[in-house]
Amino acid sequence: MTSFIAGLPKAELHVHIEGTFEPELMFAMAARNGIELPYDSIDALKAAYNFSDLQDFLNLYYQGMTVLQNEQDFHDLTWAYLERARADNVRHAEIFFDPQGHTQRGVAFETVLDGIWRALEAGEHRLGITGKLIMCFLRDLPEADAERTLDMALAHKRRIEGVGLDSAEVGHPPSKFARVFARARDAGLRCVGHAGEEGPAEYVREALDILRVARIDHGNRALDDKTLVARLARERVPLTVCPLSNLRLCVVETATAHPLKTMLDKGLMVTVNSDDPAYFGGYVNANYDAMQTALNLSREDLVTLARNSFEASFLSRAEKDAHLAAIEAYAGAP
Ligand code: HPA
Ligand code: ZN
């Protein structure tokens, strides 16, 4: 099954580029930028990757990104992810970035965007991976900060596919960002949002009704609400599920307790993704593998997950069909 998963063409729809910052690259970049990390070695840093919840992880995630200073840094980070994704047979990636994590510490929005974008263009030409960018608002900051960030993004609309919502969830409901999402939508940007990772099912409902998101990122807690599950299935709202993230952030207790198979059985449009792979112990294939082993997923389940990853993407109908045909060619006729 591991080799079947490895060869399966797939899209990744939930990956934070700052969460792909491998300790080795982080240390090398810190040295070249003259930045001191509060760890003596790569191993000491890795030993700190033992999280009790989302906030515990976010503290290290924001610390790690302070190493990113120049356009080249953002390029190198993104390029490293794309090469790693190519090895997992990722054909298309919709990548989150957190501009406020950078502009807050004096790095220009354009430095971030230019570096990431240059790597995405090279990824398409040299690796055959297409990419789209989704700019996330940090939900623990005021909506006014998100509004200013949207203003910056609107000057670069060609390179930004959509907006998302991430960071500390509980106490920061989607409704807090109603106005900025409405403005993004009016400007033609797609909308997605993290909801139901640590927050309640009600946040998933708000993301749908108030932010009018096209996908829910995570969505685990939606399972607490039967009516909501029925709606998600009926409306075929994609959920970008991140199994290893859920394990490492204690959203689920064990791999065998993960609700992915339950979600599939309830007819939900689920996809499997890596979230912050450098912090959570594996890229997208490792997430598929962990779930296949723990939940005894069939080849049919795995093909459904891969098909869903393209169906739930923001590619055109023709592009989706080309990828679905590649899955069929690989896995046999549907
Ligand atoms: N949840 C919320 N915010 C995040 C995450 C996550 O898993 N990763 C990076 N920012
Ligand atoms: Zn995430």
Side-chain angles (χ1 to χ4, degrees):
M1 283 297 207
T2 297
S3 74
F4 180 72
I5 288 167
L8 199 50
K10 54 187 77 71
E12 174 144 63
L13 305 180
H14 185 156
V15 58
H16 302 261
I17 200 63
E18 298 89 346
T20 69
F21 205 177
E22 290 289 344
E24 289 76 9
L25 181 61
M26 193 185 290
F27 263 77
M29 214 179 271
R32 108 185 164 201
N33 288 339
I35 291 171
E36 282 261 6
L37 285 166
Y39 300 92
D40 291 341
S41 65
I42 291 169
D43 284 341
L45 174 59
K46 287 182 182 170
Y49 290 178
N50 188 7
F51 312 112
S52 55
D53 59 17
L54 174 58
Q55 188 60 56
D56 197 26
F57 153 70
L58 288 170
N59 294 340
L60 279 193
Y61 172 79
Y62 291 120
Q63 173 187 278
M65 69 173 79
T66 63
V67 172
L68 299 161
Q69 299 280 334
N70 312 305
E71 193 259 14
Q72 188 69 37
D73 300 338
F74 289 93
H75 167 276
D76 293 355
L77 174 69
T78 307
W79 182 253
Y81 164 70
L82 290 170
E83 284 199 307
R84 186 63 190 73
R86 187 70 196 85
D88 279 9
N89 211 14
V90 171
R91 304 286 182 89
H92 175 68
E94 299 191 352
I95 300 174
F96 293 133
F97 71 117
D98 282 334
Q100 289 158 292
H102 312 299
T103 54
Q104 275 195 119
R105 50 189 184 83
V107 176
F109 186 91
E110 286 71 21
T111 300
V112 179
L113 184 62
D114 291 351
I116 298 174
W117 190 257
R118 185 157 61 84
L120 286 185
E121 285 191 325
E124 191 159 344
H125 295 134
R126 288 167 47 195
L127 302 173
I129 301 187
T130 53
K132 293 186 186 292
L133 273 181
I134 300 177
M135 176 180 92
C136 286
F137 302 121
L138 301 186
R139 68 201 304 160
D140 45 347
L141 298 180
E143 190 184 30
D145 278 47
E147 293 278 15
R148 281 192 289 276
T149 306
L150 179 60
D151 289 338
M152 292 186 239
L154 291 179
H156 305 282
K157 240 174 69 181
R158 188 183 65 81
R159 292 186 282 174
I160 298 174
E161 181 74 14
V163 296
L165 189 63
D166 67 1
S167 199
E169 185 180 6
V170 175
H172 304 286
S175 51
K176 177 178 166 187
F177 295 91
R179 290 136 298 252
V180 72
F181 268 70
R183 201 155 66 85
R185 194 170 55 245
D186 288 346
L189 295 171
R190 317 259 201 177
C191 296
V192 301
H194 284 54
E197 180 183 21
E198 287 188 344
E202 183 55 27
Y203 284 17
V204 174
R205 223 185 267 284
E206 279 193 11
L208 293 171
D209 292 336
I210 300 176
L211 304 187
R212 304 226 238 131
V213 298
R215 302 195 288 250
I216 296 287
D217 297 312
H218 294 296
N220 300 49
R221 295 281 303 278
L223 294 175
D224 297 343
D225 183 331
K226 260 190 172 165
T227 313
L228 179 58
V229 169
R231 173 184 177 187
L232 291 168
R234 191 175 61 244
E235 296 178 6
R236 293 182 61 73
V237 178
L239 306 182
T240 62
V241 175
C242 305
L244 292 175
S245 165
N246 292 160
L247 279 168
R248 297 294 284 266
L249 299 187
C250 308
V251 168
V252 300
E253 278 186 11
T254 61
T256 48
H258 196 281
L260 181 73
K261 177 69 177 156
T262 305
M263 290 166 155
L264 279 169
D265 292 345
K266 287 181 185 294
L268 295 172
M269 166 70 133
V270 285
T271 65
V272 166
N273 308 274
S274 71
D275 208 4
D276 302 283
Y279 292 90
F280 300 150
Y283 286 76
V284 69
N285 287 357
N287 278 270
Y288 275 76
D289 272 329
M291 290 292 92
Q292 194 284 319
T293 307
L295 306 177
N296 197 25
L297 299 183
S298 64
R299 278 170 71 114
E300 199 178 32
D301 292 329
L302 298 167
V303 168
T304 298
L305 291 167
R307 290 180 60 91
N308 286 355
S309 73
F310 291 109
E311 278 294 354
S313 74
F314 294 134
L315 291 169
S316 69
R317 186 67 254 167
E319 290 166 326
K320 291 180 186 183
D321 287 343
H323 288 295
L324 295 177
I327 292 176
E328 265 148 42
Y330 175 73

